[in-house]
Amino acid sequence: MYRTTRPALLSLLLLLLSPLAQAQLTAIVAVEPTATMAAHSILRSAFESGLSKAAGQPATVATSEDLADVMRATRSAGYDVFIGPAQVAASALQRGYELVGATQKSDLYLLVGSPQVANVAAMKGQRLYLPQQDSIYTYMARGMLNEAGLSFQDLKSVLHEKHPQAGLSALVLGSTDATVVRADDWAEWSATHKGDARVLATSQPVPGGFSITVKKDLPADVRARLAQWFASGSSTVGLSPVALRPEAQEYRRVAELGLFTPNSLPGVNRITAREAQKLQAQGAVVVDTRTEKEFKAKRIRGAVFAAYVEKSLKDVAFNAAQDDFQALEKVDRSKPVIFACNGAECWKSYKAAKVAASKGYKTVYWLRGGLPEWDADGLPTESS
């Protein structure tokens, strides 16, 4: 029989206690279209080294310009640390994260239109230029339109491109009727373009630069060391020091302007997580419309996977033809179906339920709260 010597046991113990044996701290830098240069200045290897030293455990840092993917990650708590624009922090702060701070002062955003557009209400039937659907510009545009009683569906078209400042050029060229810009960018541009556009609406202050949030369930000493590092040591890796702490209200306001699904869906029954559990026990099928990665990481116990590949606008007037929901074909239409995803900000289950109802699925339910509500109620989950 093999016997482990005392030196071997000591070596094994030291290995288990070493940083290599500890769980990795994960962080992601989410990049707004206009912050690409700022993100490129970040030295990834040095960033990982700095975070590792501050946290006292190995750390990995990813970067992404796909804001939709990053927003999904906030809803599923996909990283320990989020470094990104205000809407990313606003989403994370609702899901078990706490604010460390922001790297820049708060910004104002302007809805700017051509001289022919008199006010926001006059935007009905007009064209709007915006960056990515999940960019802060889109959040601000939706909020300012909503205040005037308008939705994206009231517009002639919404063009999503990558660079916000190009919207001003599009105005001059006549290829759009309005766009959203930062107040500072507008001040610089309008100084040399007198009369080419007018301000239709101004937002409330929005946290600027990168906002940093960390998981609340990280040990208190780790969170404290990370906060200290972001405040003083992060400048050595190309990230501006986190010297500002915007009011919580600013983040809540951004979240409220976010792309929340409606409270109801005509022709579909909206239900709670506990109602979904009862229906599931009676034979209803819970359909998870998220990505395969999210499904494997954590899901409602017994849910089936049927990804809704979303490309259309996050709006009640979305164009289903732009999306891919071929996965619906494998869902048994003879049984009641319950569509779910990542909560009220996730449109996939809303769209999936609406598509299913339009294709003749007779008993369709929508779990608007999705996995977050199910999990919060302590209902059973599983993973692969």
Side-chain angles (χ1 to χ4, degrees), residues 244-264:
L244 301 169
R245 190 176 178 83
E247 295 289 333
Q249 181 182 2
E250 293 188 18
Y251 291 102
R252 285 197 298 270
R253 190 183 298 122
V254 170
E256 290 168 1
L257 292 175
L259 307 177
F260 280 91
T261 52
N263 287 317
S264 62

Side-chain angles (χ1 to χ4, degrees), residues 143 160 179 252 289:
H160 286 282
T179 189
R252 285 197 298 270
T289 59

Side-chain angles (χ1 to χ4, degrees), residues 124-145:
K124 188 171 183 177
Q126 303 295 328
R127 301 162 297 170
L128 180 63
Y129 177 106
L130 294 170
Q132 298 177 33
Q133 285 200 47
D134 287 281
S135 72
I136 192 65
Y137 296 85
T138 299
Y139 273 59
M140 294 300 105
R142 181 177 291 271
M144 288 184 277
L145 287 171

Side-chain angles (χ1 to χ4, degrees), residues 23-81:
Q24 283 196 332
L25 184 83
T26 58
I28 187 166
V29 180
V31 186
E32 269 281 354
T34 53
T36 302
M37 290 184 63
H40 286 170
S41 69
I42 295 174
L43 305 174
R44 182 174 171 181
S45 60
F47 203 143
E48 290 180 336
S49 176
L51 274 183
S52 298
K53 186 175 180 180
Q57 65 188 89
T60 59
V61 178
T63 60
S64 176
E65 294 184 26
D66 187 340
L67 292 174
D69 187 57
V70 175
M71 293 298 285
R72 282 193 292 270
T74 65
R75 294 189 282 266
S76 58
Y79 295 87
D80 296 310
V81 182

Side-chain angles (χ1 to χ4, degrees), residues 206-245:
V206 177
F210 289 108
S211 290
I212 289 80
T213 57
V214 299
K215 272 186 179 177
K216 288 181 180 178
D217 60 8
L218 289 175
D221 62 324
V222 172
R223 285 182 279 129
R225 291 197 302 271
L226 288 174
Q228 184 178 4
W229 183 78
F230 278 114
S232 58
S234 62
S235 59
T236 61
V237 303
L239 180 70
S240 298
V242 178
L244 301 169
R245 190 176 178 83

